[in-house]
Amino acid sequence: MEIKVNGKLMAVNDNTTVTNLVETICTDNMTGSGVAVAVNGAIVSKKDWNTHVLAPDCDVILIKAAYGG
C-alpha cells in the first residue's frame, strides 16, 4: 500500500505500524526521545506506536528535535 511520509509517497506493507515505519526510514537513533509522529494531522503518542496500524493513503509527518544554537 502507499502512504505519504513528510510529503513523499512511500510503499509499505499492509499492517505497518508507526514503529515499523520509524525503524524502516530512520538510520540514526530517531526511535529515541525527541521524535514526534503525526498521522493525518493527529499526534500519535509514543506508547501507541506499536499498535497504531497505518492505513492506505494516510499522511504521516515525522519530526526529530534538533539541538544547537
Side-chain angles (χ1 to χ4, degrees):
M1 72 176 173
E2 283 194 337
I3 61 173
K4 191 183 291 185
V5 180
N6 292 347
K8 297 180 181 179
L9 287 179
M10 180 176 182
V12 296
N13 294 327
D14 292 346
N15 299 314
T16 295
T17 64
V18 170
T19 296
N20 299 141
L21 179 67
V22 171
E23 290 173 347
T24 298
I25 66 173
C26 299
T27 57
D28 59 7
N29 191 23
M30 198 167 174
T31 57
S33 62
V35 177
V37 178
V39 178
N40 296 328
I43 298 290
V44 178
S45 175
K46 191 163 186 174
K47 68 180 179 65
D48 296 326
W49 285 11
N50 284 325
T51 57
H52 189 105
V53 177
L54 301 171
D57 301 317
C58 68
D59 187 9
V60 179
I61 298 175
L62 280 161
I63 299 171
K64 169 84 171 140
Y67 302 97

